[in-house]
Amino acid sequence: MYTVSSFACPTRLVFGVDAHLQLPAIVAAGGAQRVFLVVDPALAEADITRAITASLGERQLALAIFAEVEPDPSDTTVHAAHDRCRAHEAQAIIAIGGGSTIDVAKSVAILMTNGGRIADYEGIEKFSTRPMPLYAVPTTAGTGSEVSGACVVTDTARNVKMAIRHAAFSPAQVAVLDPLAVSSMPAHVAAHAGIDAFVHAFESYLSKLANPFSDAVNLHAMKLIIGSLRQFVANRRNTQAAMDMLCGSSMAAMSFGVTGLGNVHCMAMPLGALFHIPHGLANALCLPTVAEFNLIANPARYADVAALLGVDCRGVSQLEAARMAVYAIRELCTDLGVPERLRDAGVTEDSLDELARRSYAADYNRWNPRHTTEADFRALFRRAF
């Protein structure tokens, strides 16, 4: 039996080699003459950024650039970008970067249309007007922020991460998936972002709210990600692997907006807030421990994942196949150079109680397949530490 649900992705996806060449025409067709570009500072002079800005100039579109986004962006950064965007009198926004950059652009789009400050929107979905047009060019194959209806921003006053959601749509009108955009990504960033993408599909597939449509998308997303992640990390200029990762990442993000996520993301959020660990790495650090914990809630689905991970499950029980999936997940993290313990990433032992408290308060029991108490979270953090 399935609860009443829905599945939609309003974002138009344009993908393939040199897909970025279509972006200026797409923006111009939307009627915008003044464009605000939010770009990762490390990519301000990258080939993909130069190509897009040159094409926008050829179409005589007035351009203002904001290249001051930090990892795990703060509300201070969002408001600085918003002030710049408003001063430019922008009519559309382009984001070139990873999840942090796209999340800042999404937040600015919301503020430009709905006013207020980021703190006004924490945890609620009360927007009366659709935000201004936003076009995203993801440069990491992981967050899926280009098709997600949520943006995550750190509230500097309280040192907590806030998830801001729009009730009706995914902010990026068009997402451009181009292998050129991810070709210069450092290997460790590619690894952590790729794990993040896998976790999106994995946790969405295990979610209490999974449905036939999300299942189909998540299974194929995992197939693409698992089949290409190692090769992509080894060579980010591997065009086929890059394309598979970009597509798999977007697919997974389409789905988790419907199904929610689980304990891996639940635990990663406070790790990022308290220790400023990049989101993908935080997910990778928690993944093996959480995967083992959740196994008993749905071994049949774990067995499905085992097959995707390349495990030979012939002649073994469903439960044993599920255990083999957890082993294969640990092996994947090891192959990609993920640190084995939280302490290796700077997490301190005296923080474990607070991390557990915040994780339980986030109420991911709405989606996580195994009910998890605060004491359970404490034990999970202790095991991962």
Side-chain angles (χ1 to χ4, degrees), residues 77 83 111 149 190 231 238 293:
T77 299
D83 291 344
L111 294 183
Q231 297 93 313
N238 181 326
F293 175 81

mmCIF file with all atom_site columns, all heavy atoms in Angstrom, residues 77 83 111 149 190 231 238 293:
data_model
loop_
_atom_site.group_PDB
_atom_site.id
_atom_site.type_symbol
_atom_site.label_atom_id
_atom_site.label_alt_id
_atom_site.label_comp_id
_atom_site.label_asym_id
_atom_site.label_entity_id
_atom_site.label_seq_id
_atom_site.pdbx_PDB_ins_code
_atom_site.Cartn_x
_atom_site.Cartn_y
_atom_site.Cartn_z
_atom_site.occupancy
_atom_site.B_iso_or_equiv
_atom_site.pdbx_formal_charge
_atom_site.auth_seq_id
_atom_site.auth_comp_id
_atom_site.auth_asym_id
_atom_site.auth_atom_id
_atom_site.pdbx_PDB_model_num
ATOM 1  N N   . THR A 1 77  ? 26.421 35.833 3.650   1.00 0.00 ? 77  THR A N   1
ATOM 2  C CA  . THR A 1 77  ? 26.781 35.790 2.233   1.00 0.00 ? 77  THR A CA  1
ATOM 3  C C   . THR A 1 77  ? 25.551 35.958 1.353   1.00 0.00 ? 77  THR A C   1
ATOM 4  O O   . THR A 1 77  ? 25.580 36.676 0.350   1.00 0.00 ? 77  THR A O   1
ATOM 5  C CB  . THR A 1 77  ? 27.477 34.454 1.916   1.00 0.00 ? 77  THR A CB  1
ATOM 6  O OG1 . THR A 1 77  ? 28.672 34.354 2.684   1.00 0.00 ? 77  THR A OG1 1
ATOM 7  C CG2 . THR A 1 77  ? 27.810 34.343 0.437   1.00 0.00 ? 77  THR A CG2 1
ATOM 8  N N   . ASP A 1 83  ? 21.950 42.003 -1.930  1.00 0.00 ? 83  ASP A N   1
ATOM 9  C CA  . ASP A 1 83  ? 22.119 43.453 -2.067  1.00 0.00 ? 83  ASP A CA  1
ATOM 10 C C   . ASP A 1 83  ? 22.743 43.795 -3.419  1.00 0.00 ? 83  ASP A C   1
ATOM 11 O O   . ASP A 1 83  ? 22.326 44.757 -4.077  1.00 0.00 ? 83  ASP A O   1
ATOM 12 C CB  . ASP A 1 83  ? 23.001 43.978 -0.937  1.00 0.00 ? 83  ASP A CB  1
ATOM 13 C CG  . ASP A 1 83  ? 22.314 43.919 0.422   1.00 0.00 ? 83  ASP A CG  1
ATOM 14 O OD1 . ASP A 1 83  ? 21.080 43.771 0.456   1.00 0.00 ? 83  ASP A OD1 1
ATOM 15 O OD2 . ASP A 1 83  ? 23.024 44.026 1.445   1.00 0.00 ? 83  ASP A OD2 1
ATOM 16 N N   . LEU A 1 111 ? 14.631 35.913 -2.203  1.00 0.00 ? 111 LEU A N   1
ATOM 17 C CA  . LEU A 1 111 ? 14.580 37.235 -1.581  1.00 0.00 ? 111 LEU A CA  1
ATOM 18 C C   . LEU A 1 111 ? 14.249 38.329 -2.590  1.00 0.00 ? 111 LEU A C   1
ATOM 19 O O   . LEU A 1 111 ? 13.548 39.289 -2.267  1.00 0.00 ? 111 LEU A O   1
ATOM 20 C CB  . LEU A 1 111 ? 15.922 37.540 -0.900  1.00 0.00 ? 111 LEU A CB  1
ATOM 21 C CG  . LEU A 1 111 ? 16.296 36.659 0.297   1.00 0.00 ? 111 LEU A CG  1
ATOM 22 C CD1 . LEU A 1 111 ? 17.612 37.122 0.906   1.00 0.00 ? 111 LEU A CD1 1
ATOM 23 C CD2 . LEU A 1 111 ? 15.198 36.677 1.360   1.00 0.00 ? 111 LEU A CD2 1
ATOM 24 N N   . GLY A 1 149 ? 14.210 21.540 -4.658  1.00 0.00 ? 149 GLY A N   1
ATOM 25 C CA  . GLY A 1 149 ? 13.410 22.678 -4.247  1.00 0.00 ? 149 GLY A CA  1
ATOM 26 C C   . GLY A 1 149 ? 13.857 23.295 -2.945  1.00 0.00 ? 149 GLY A C   1
ATOM 27 O O   . GLY A 1 149 ? 13.217 24.220 -2.450  1.00 0.00 ? 149 GLY A O   1
ATOM 28 N N   . ALA A 1 190 ? 35.478 15.510 -6.075  1.00 0.00 ? 190 ALA A N   1
ATOM 29 C CA  . ALA A 1 190 ? 34.688 14.601 -6.908  1.00 0.00 ? 190 ALA A CA  1
ATOM 30 C C   . ALA A 1 190 ? 34.243 13.384 -6.103  1.00 0.00 ? 190 ALA A C   1
ATOM 31 O O   . ALA A 1 190 ? 33.104 12.919 -6.237  1.00 0.00 ? 190 ALA A O   1
ATOM 32 C CB  . ALA A 1 190 ? 35.510 14.158 -8.120  1.00 0.00 ? 190 ALA A CB  1
ATOM 33 N N   . GLN A 1 231 ? 35.718 5.709  -11.770 1.00 0.00 ? 231 GLN A N   1
ATOM 34 C CA  . GLN A 1 231 ? 36.377 6.187  -12.985 1.00 0.00 ? 231 GLN A CA  1
ATOM 35 C C   . GLN A 1 231 ? 36.407 7.714  -13.038 1.00 0.00 ? 231 GLN A C   1
ATOM 36 O O   . GLN A 1 231 ? 37.391 8.313  -13.488 1.00 0.00 ? 231 GLN A O   1
ATOM 37 C CB  . GLN A 1 231 ? 35.655 5.646  -14.229 1.00 0.00 ? 231 GLN A CB  1
ATOM 38 C CG  . GLN A 1 231 ? 35.689 4.130  -14.354 1.00 0.00 ? 231 GLN A CG  1
ATOM 39 C CD  . GLN A 1 231 ? 34.457 3.484  -13.737 1.00 0.00 ? 231 GLN A CD  1
ATOM 40 O OE1 . GLN A 1 231 ? 34.056 3.825  -12.621 1.00 0.00 ? 231 GLN A OE1 1
ATOM 41 N NE2 . GLN A 1 231 ? 33.847 2.564  -14.475 1.00 0.00 ? 231 GLN A NE2 1
ATOM 42 N N   . ASN A 1 238 ? 37.078 12.231 -18.031 1.00 0.00 ? 238 ASN A N   1
ATOM 43 C CA  . ASN A 1 238 ? 36.415 11.091 -18.643 1.00 0.00 ? 238 ASN A CA  1
ATOM 44 C C   . ASN A 1 238 ? 34.973 11.517 -18.941 1.00 0.00 ? 238 ASN A C   1
ATOM 45 O O   . ASN A 1 238 ? 34.125 11.564 -18.054 1.00 0.00 ? 238 ASN A O   1
ATOM 46 C CB  . ASN A 1 238 ? 36.447 9.899  -17.681 1.00 0.00 ? 238 ASN A CB  1
ATOM 47 C CG  . ASN A 1 238 ? 35.799 8.651  -18.242 1.00 0.00 ? 238 ASN A CG  1
ATOM 48 O OD1 . ASN A 1 238 ? 34.835 8.718  -18.996 1.00 0.00 ? 238 ASN A OD1 1
ATOM 49 N ND2 . ASN A 1 238 ? 36.303 7.498  -17.858 1.00 0.00 ? 238 ASN A ND2 1
ATOM 50 N N   . PHE A 1 293 ? 23.393 0.227  10.457  1.00 0.00 ? 293 PHE A N   1
ATOM 51 C CA  . PHE A 1 293 ? 22.311 0.394  11.429  1.00 0.00 ? 293 PHE A CA  1
ATOM 52 C C   . PHE A 1 293 ? 20.938 0.186  10.792  1.00 0.00 ? 293 PHE A C   1
ATOM 53 O O   . PHE A 1 293 ? 20.052 -0.464 11.360  1.00 0.00 ? 293 PHE A O   1
ATOM 54 C CB  . PHE A 1 293 ? 22.401 1.806  12.035  1.00 0.00 ? 293 PHE A CB  1
ATOM 55 C CG  . PHE A 1 293 ? 21.276 2.171  12.959  1.00 0.00 ? 293 PHE A CG  1
ATOM 56 C CD1 . PHE A 1 293 ? 21.264 1.744  14.277  1.00 0.00 ? 293 PHE A CD1 1
ATOM 57 C CD2 . PHE A 1 293 ? 20.219 2.954  12.510  1.00 0.00 ? 293 PHE A CD2 1
ATOM 58 C CE1 . PHE A 1 293 ? 20.224 2.085  15.136  1.00 0.00 ? 293 PHE A CE1 1
ATOM 59 C CE2 . PHE A 1 293 ? 19.171 3.302  13.356  1.00 0.00 ? 293 PHE A CE2 1
ATOM 60 C CZ  . PHE A 1 293 ? 19.171 2.862  14.680  1.00 0.00 ? 293 PHE A CZ  1
#
